[in-house]
Amino acid sequence: QPYLKEGFMRSLLKFGFMLVAVLSVLSGCAGPSQVRLTGNPDIPGAEGVVTTSTSNDGNTKLDISVKHLAPPEKVEPGSSVFMVWVRGLDDGAQAASQGALMVNSDLIGEMETVTPLRSFELFITPESSHTVTAPTGKILLSARIEMK
């Protein structure tokens, strides 16, 4: 009968190792996570959050939500739109526009976008037009995103 106990213990040990392996794999496939946007002291009431997840094709999906963000022309004279940018963390990386973030009359804005970057800085600037190709306004909200 000791051989039955030994066989049972061996099976239990194998099951434990398999369980740890499966949980390790699943933790690498973690679901969405949230990153709080850091605000510029010039606009102390503004706040925001970015929910990040990995799309089916391996890109980084971004769901951006902001609130208490005054209209662009009140934040910076001559501005008409808020632009969302991403920039890789490598030295010399250039910012890429992710599009315009529209803010409603309740000072709330939401936007969804996708980037192939996995580690990057995301930031929002007021700009004179949605066609700008590089950020010129001050950074209002920002976050460092590092996907696993």
Side-chain angles (χ1 to χ4, degrees), residues 37-47 68-69 75 124 138-142:
L37 293 168
T38 301
N40 182 315
D42 292 345
I43 52 165
E47 57 185 73
H68 310 300
L69 190 55
V75 173
I124 300 170
K138 63 185 168 188
I139 295 176
L140 303 176
L141 295 164
S142 64

Side-chain angles (χ1 to χ4, degrees), residues 28-31 52-62 86-90 114-121 144-148:
C29 301
T52 62
S53 59
T54 300
S55 63
N56 291 338
D57 58 4
N59 288 321
T60 303
K61 182 179 178 209
L62 305 168
V86 294
R87 178 174 43 221
L89 301 179
D90 297 332
V114 175
T115 178
L117 298 174
R118 303 296 289 162
S119 296
F120 56 93
E121 179 185 12
R144 183 181 173 117
I145 311 288
E146 296 193 51
M147 301 293 289
K148 296 184 180 188

